[in-house]
Amino acid sequence: DETVELLLAAGYFRARIKGLSPFDKVVGGMTWCLTASNVDVDVDLLFQENSTIKQKISLTEKIVSALRRMKCPHRIEPYQIQGLDFIHIYPVDQWLVKYAIETHEETNMQSRNRAPPATNQHKNARDEAPTRDPPATAANKASHTPS
C-alpha cells in the first residue's frame, strides 16, 4: 500500500483504479515514472494491463535494465517486481519518483528560460503619464494662497 500511495502522491492516478491488479499498479507506476524521467533508456516500455506471464517477464526485465542505465542506487531484480516484493520495490520507487519529479521541475525551468520575455501590452497609466509635480495637498494650497 505504501508503494501505491507513493505513486499516487507523484501523480500516477491510475493506481486508484480498483480493478487493477497490484502488479499492474506497481509496474504501470514504474513505467510512468521512467517515461516522465525523459531518460533515453533504449528500451520499449510498452505497458499493457493484464499482460501475459511472458509479457510481464519481458517488461520487468526492461524496467530493471532501464533502472541500471539510470544508475539507480537500489538493486532490484525482475523476479522481485513480478513477485511484488515491496521491501525491495519501495526504495526503488522512492528514488524513481524523486528522479521523475526533479526531471519535471528541471524541464519546466528550462522551458521558462527559453521562453521569450513577456511583453506588457497594457501599460500602466502611471507609465504613460508625463512626469509632473505631485498634486498640491490642502496644506500646501493653504500656505501658498495668493494675497
Side-chain angles (χ1 to χ4, degrees):
D1 281 343
E2 286 179 336
T3 299
V4 172
E5 290 300 318
L6 175 67
L7 294 169
L8 281 169
Y12 181 65
F13 299 115
R14 292 188 53 75
R16 283 189 183 143
I17 298 173
K18 300 240 185 272
L20 284 182
S21 71
F23 176 86
D24 286 343
K25 290 178 183 182
V26 170
V27 173
M30 293 177 93
T31 303
W32 179 82
C33 285
L34 286 167
T35 303
S37 296
N38 290 336
V39 175
D40 182 16
V41 291
D42 195 33
V43 292
D44 178 23
L45 289 174
L46 178 62
F47 169 69
Q48 298 173 350
E49 295 169 8
N50 303 314
S51 302
T52 66
I53 294 295
K54 184 177 178 179
Q55 290 169 325
K56 288 179 180 181
I57 291 168
S58 175
L59 182 57
T60 56
E61 287 172 348
K62 290 176 182 180
I63 289 171
V64 169
S65 174
L67 289 167
R68 287 184 181 146
R69 287 175 189 243
M70 293 170 68
K71 304 201 183 320
C72 177
H74 307 283
R75 300 297 284 176
I76 193 163
E77 296 298 326
Y79 73 87
Q80 292 171 312
I81 298 171
Q82 293 162 26
L84 298 175
D85 183 352
F86 289 110
I87 291 172
H88 290 95
I89 293 171
Y90 188 74
V92 171
D93 275 358
Q94 280 183 309
W95 179 84
L96 196 51
V97 163
K98 182 179 177 202
Y99 195 101
I101 290 171
E102 288 172 356
T103 300
H104 177 73
E105 290 171 354
E106 191 175 295
T107 301
N108 282 346
M109 182 73 71
Q110 289 173 355
S111 294
R112 275 187 246 128
N113 289 341
R114 282 192 302 247
T119 58
N120 189 358
Q121 295 177 356
H122 304 288
K123 290 190 175 193
N124 244 334
R126 189 173 26 160
D127 294 339
E128 296 179 286
T131 306
R132 60 180 176 206
D133 292 333
T137 62
N140 285 343
K141 286 182 185 177
S143 66
H144 288 82
T145 51
S147 5

